[in-house]
Amino acid sequence: MSMYVVGHKIPDSDSICGAIALAYLKNQIGEAATPTRLGEVSPETAFILEKFGVETPELKLSYAGEEVYIVDHSELTQAPDDIAEATIVGIVDHHKLGDLTTSTPLECWIRPVGCSNTIIKMMYDFYNVEIPKDMAGIMLCAILSDTVIFKSPTCTTADIKCVEALAEIAGIEDYKALGMEMFKVKSAVEGTPVRDLVMRDFKDFNMNGELVGIGQLEVIDLAVFDEIKEELEADIAAMKVEGNRHTMILLLTDIMKEGSELLVVSDNEELTAKAYGKATENGRVWLDGVLSRKKQVVPQLQDVFA
Amino acid sequence: MSMYVVGHKIPDSDSICGAIALAYLKNQIGEAATPTRLGEVSPETAFILEKFGVETPELKLSYAGEEVYIVDHSELTQAPDDIAEATIVGIVDHHKLGDLTTSTPLECWIRPVGCSNTIIKMMYDFYNVEIPKDMAGIMLCAILSDTVIFKSPTCTTADIKCVEALAEIAGIEDYKALGMEMFKVKSAVEGTPVRDLVMRDFKDFNMNGELVGIGQLEVIDLAVFDEIKEELEADIAAMKVEGNRHTMILLLTDIMKEGSELLVVSDNEELTAKAYGKATENGRVWLDGVLSRKKQVVPQLQDVFA
């Protein structure tokens, strides 16, 4: 029986590249595995896969009766809809421990590092499997993306060492330049429908029974949003209603200025004041130094909802 | 801040020896750690600790405000009562993924092997930390206990290789003889109050909202229960009522005959027929080949409750 390796809904580069790299590793150690995805690939991910000549995984939404290896999350809301009817054989992740449970033993490679692909590199080392150049390239890009080229507070020395080792394998001399090239692709928002932008890197969280949707757009200059910010705000307000959500937040992250503007629509008007010590003005608030949804946005919200 | 390393309630040898061995490793890599326990040590565990001259961990029931590394489970019902007020920094486990969640990233070393101590040996190897003789001894005994000297279907080649490596470090020539010596200690039930026997290796499981308590006693000859079986049955019936449980099961496992007699008190009289294809007679049923609660008893029950 072949297992499927799949990341979260609205896949980011870590989910897609991680599924590909982990499926390759599993096949090398004699466990048949196929990488799949739960949604469209982002322009950033498309850039990475094209750059290293790697095929886009097949779109697959249903996993009932299948064996599944989960990448980059451990949350029911981010997993395939019918995950309860599948057998989870493993999880590789670098987030807080979510509400996925299993009825049989499994393997979990979960570490508090900046990117799932850093952990997948550890798995290659553990199984003593050589990493091909193309796999090294896509893994490296996923780590540069998740760690915002090492600027994110989620970045650890393990991530940096991993990128350096992968760069050597892939034969990439200036990986920071590659990272900037990638973030320039990510910053091209013109001409994209606002809903597509909000959904590009979007996650729903179950916070003590309330649904909280948080999107993030990382760009090299927030000016690209000047003309569409009101449209973005109207759209997250619509998504709040459509999804019966308690709160919708969109993080507009400036990776050069190293901070994020939050666009917020919430049933709790004091949410950002309570979570981050700073109230919104007209539904907007700038948080200096905030680059990481996972580390600087979600836990603080979770505490407010607790 | 020093972390506490603690196994599950009603600790078995894997929980106690694992907490000790993991705390030792953490201290070696510069992370202050103290092993603790959530209950009395069993005669088997006392035998192991005395054999290798290792101190019994301190009893500690409250962890609010502390950092905790969880050993040998990922279930709320098996964790400290105030675990929600603690920070879980890591989990090492070899069971199904339970309902513990966190609000911050953590490390999880979870593998489908026979014993948590097999995974802790992998952690020593990962961090390149030398295992002292006494640690090797208690880790080896925990693995022999959990795998029933390799007879359990939960036993993997990783467990066997691990025991062989640890035996060499500890200077133990005949580890199977040591295992038998240990199981003889475990088989001495005479003079022990029945409640203590039922509770010796007891776990509560939340099965789709219903509480199911399952105890297990592993002995080298079931004849030791002949005179107390009715008392044991009366006691699990009492525990069902006291704990408002849907089902109470006590596995009397014969490690030489390689099977278990189940004593069952349940709201569902067809439970064992549905789960194991064999009905109880007067609340008793012999299941040939069943040695493992985790692999041969719990998942099948979980399916019935699903």
Side-chain angles (χ1 to χ4, degrees):
Chain A
M1 185 173 180
S2 176
M3 78 179 85
Y4 292 98
V5 185
V6 69
H8 51 73
K9 287 177 177 171
I10 312 168
D12 59 0
S13 296
D14 194 20
S15 270
I16 298 288
C17 301
I20 297 169
L22 180 53
Y24 176 88
L25 168 62
K26 283 286 176 185
N27 283 306
Q28 292 307 108
I29 59 173
E31 301 175 24
T34 308
T36 51
R37 60 186 164 90
L38 291 180
E40 292 310 305
V41 299
S42 71
E44 182 198 75
T45 307
F47 164 83
I48 297 169
L49 297 182
E50 205 199 326
K51 180 107 192 164
F52 295 98
V54 173
E55 230 176 285
T56 306
E58 172 200 347
L59 179 73
K60 181 176 168 64
L61 301 180
S62 173
Y63 295 83
E66 307 284 2
E67 292 194 342
V68 181
Y69 206 116
I70 296 284
V71 174
D72 201 33
H73 74 96
S74 61
E75 307 268 348
L76 270 172
T77 54
Q78 296 175 27
D81 289 335
D82 59 359
I83 192 67
E85 293 157 68
T87 303
I88 302 176
V89 294
I91 299 175
V92 52
D93 189 28
H94 65 119
H95 299 86
K96 70 193 183 69
L97 188 60
D99 52 4
L100 279 179
T101 59
T102 68
S103 58
T104 47
L106 76 170
E107 60 176 69
C108 293
W109 293 73
I110 302 176
R111 300 289 180 279
V113 294
C115 182
S116 298
N117 275 273
T118 299
I119 307 164
I120 293 170
K121 166 71 160 58
M122 292 178 195
M123 296 172 76
Y124 272 87
D125 293 345
F126 177 82
Y127 290 110
N128 206 14
V129 168
E130 204 180 327
I131 306 176
K133 274 191 167 194
D134 56 350
M135 291 298 125
I138 65 171
M139 290 165 75
L140 174 150
C141 283
I143 302 170
L144 290 175
S145 171
D146 262 18
T147 63
V148 193
I149 318 176
F150 306 159
K151 287 181 180 184
S152 170
T154 61
C155 186
T156 66
T157 48
D159 300 298
I160 297 170
K161 278 186 188 169
C162 183
V163 164
E164 285 167 354
L166 292 170
E168 192 149 324
I169 295 167
I172 296 165
E173 274 179 37
D174 190 349
Y175 60 76
K176 289 202 177 181
L178 171 60
M180 278 306 289
E181 204 186 333
M182 193 174 72
F183 273 98
K184 266 176 204 152
V185 172
K186 206 169 191 170
S187 301
V189 300
E190 215 181 346
T192 310
V194 286
R195 176 59 59 96
D196 290 6
L197 289 177
V198 175
M199 295 299 287
R200 186 172 279 177
D201 177 9
F202 180 81
K203 286 180 185 170
D204 268 322
F205 297 86
N206 180 341
M207 295 200 183
N208 203 16
E210 303 285 0
L211 195 60
V212 177
I214 310 178
Q216 182 171 25
L217 289 166
E218 293 165 316
V219 296
I220 49 183
D221 185 355
L222 283 199
V224 299
F225 298 120
D226 283 351
E227 289 184 9
I228 57 168
K229 209 175 279 182
E230 284 174 18
E231 284 177 71
L232 289 169
E233 288 174 322
D235 201 57
I236 63 171
M239 278 185 66
K240 180 179 177 299
V241 176
E242 289 163 25
N244 203 17
R245 294 180 177 89
H246 176 281
T247 296
M248 273 288 303
I249 297 176
L250 184 62
L251 276 78
L252 305 177
T253 299
D254 190 319
I255 72 162
M256 303 311 286
K257 289 208 184 83
E258 303 194 11
S260 295
E261 182 172 38
L262 273 60
L263 311 183
V264 184
V265 193
S266 176
D267 288 343
N268 180 352
E269 296 209 344
E270 294 177 339
L271 196 61
T272 67
K274 282 187 180 159
Y276 316 113
K278 205 170 167 189
T280 51
E281 285 179 39
N282 299 320
R284 302 175 184 180
V285 60
W286 169 262
L287 298 180
D288 213 46
V290 167
L291 292 171
S292 164
R293 171 171 54 192
K294 184 178 83 171
K295 204 155 184 169
Q296 298 170 294
V297 177
V298 171
Q300 293 78 355
L301 278 183
Q302 214 111 21
D303 287 346
V304 174
F305 280 87
Chain B
M1 185 172 180
S2 176
M3 78 179 85
Y4 291 98
V5 185
V6 69
H8 52 71
K9 288 177 176 169
I10 311 167
D12 59 0
S13 295
D14 194 20
S15 270
I16 298 288
C17 300
I20 296 169
L22 180 53
Y24 177 88
L25 168 62
K26 284 286 176 185
N27 283 306
Q28 292 307 109
I29 59 173
E31 301 174 25
T34 308
T36 51
R37 60 186 164 91
L38 291 180
E40 291 310 305
V41 299
S42 70
E44 181 198 74
T45 307
F47 164 83
I48 297 170
L49 298 182
E50 205 200 323
K51 180 106 192 165
F52 295 98
V54 173
E55 230 175 288
T56 305
E58 172 200 348
L59 179 73
K60 181 175 166 66
L61 301 180
S62 173
Y63 295 84
E66 306 284 3
E67 292 193 343
V68 182
Y69 207 116
I70 297 283
V71 174
D72 201 32
H73 74 96
S74 60
E75 308 267 348
L76 271 171
T77 53
Q78 296 175 27
D81 289 335
D82 58 0
I83 192 68
E85 293 157 67
T87 303
I88 301 175
V89 295
I91 298 174
V92 53
D93 189 28
H94 65 120
H95 299 86
K96 70 193 183 69
L97 189 59
D99 52 3
L100 279 179
T101 59
T102 67
S103 57
T104 47
L106 76 168
E107 59 176 69
C108 294
W109 293 73
I110 301 176
R111 299 288 180 278
V113 294
C115 182
S116 298
N117 274 275
T118 299
I119 309 165
I120 293 169
K121 166 71 161 59
M122 293 177 193
M123 297 173 76
Y124 273 87
D125 293 345
F126 178 81
Y127 290 110
N128 207 15
V129 168
E130 203 179 327
I131 306 176
K133 274 191 168 194
D134 57 349
M135 291 299 127
I138 64 172
M139 291 165 74
L140 175 151
C141 282
I143 302 169
L144 291 176
S145 171
D146 262 19
T147 63
V148 191
I149 318 176
F150 306 159
K151 288 181 180 185
S152 170
T154 62
C155 185
T156 66
T157 50
D159 299 298
I160 297 170
K161 279 187 187 167
C162 184
V163 164
E164 285 168 353
L166 292 170
E168 192 148 325
I169 295 167
I172 296 164
E173 274 179 38
D174 189 349
Y175 60 76
K176 290 203 177 180
L178 172 59
M180 278 306 289
E181 203 185 334
M182 195 175 71
F183 273 97
K184 266 176 205 154
V185 172
K186 207 170 191 170
S187 301
V189 299
E190 214 182 347
T192 310
V194 286
R195 177 60 59 97
D196 290 6
L197 289 177
V198 175
M199 296 298 289
R200 185 173 279 175
D201 177 9
F202 180 81
K203 287 181 183 168
D204 267 321
F205 297 86
N206 179 341
M207 297 200 181
N208 203 15
E210 302 285 0
L211 196 61
V212 177
I214 311 177
Q216 182 172 26
L217 290 166
E218 295 165 315
V219 296
I220 47 183
D221 185 354
L222 283 199
V224 299
F225 298 119
D226 283 351
E227 288 183 11
I228 58 168
K229 209 175 276 180
E230 285 174 18
E231 284 178 70
L232 289 168
E233 288 173 321
D235 201 56
I236 64 171
M239 279 184 65
K240 179 178 179 299
V241 176
E242 288 162 26
N244 202 16
R245 295 181 176 89
H246 176 281
T247 296
M248 273 288 304
I249 297 176
L250 183 62
L251 276 77
L252 305 177
T253 300
D254 190 318
I255 72 163
M256 304 311 286
K257 291 209 184 84
E258 303 194 11
S260 296
E261 181 172 39
L262 274 60
L263 311 184
V264 184
V265 191
S266 175
D267 288 344
N268 180 352
E269 295 209 345
E270 293 177 339
L271 195 61
T272 67
K274 282 186 180 159
Y276 315 113
K278 202 170 167 189
T280 51
E281 286 178 38
N282 299 320
R284 302 175 185 181
V285 59
W286 168 261
L287 298 180
D288 213 46
V290 169
L291 292 172
S292 166
R293 171 172 54 193
K294 185 178 83 172
K295 204 154 185 170
Q296 299 170 295
V297 177
V298 171
Q300 292 78 355
L301 278 184
Q302 214 112 22
D303 288 346
V304 175
F305 280 88

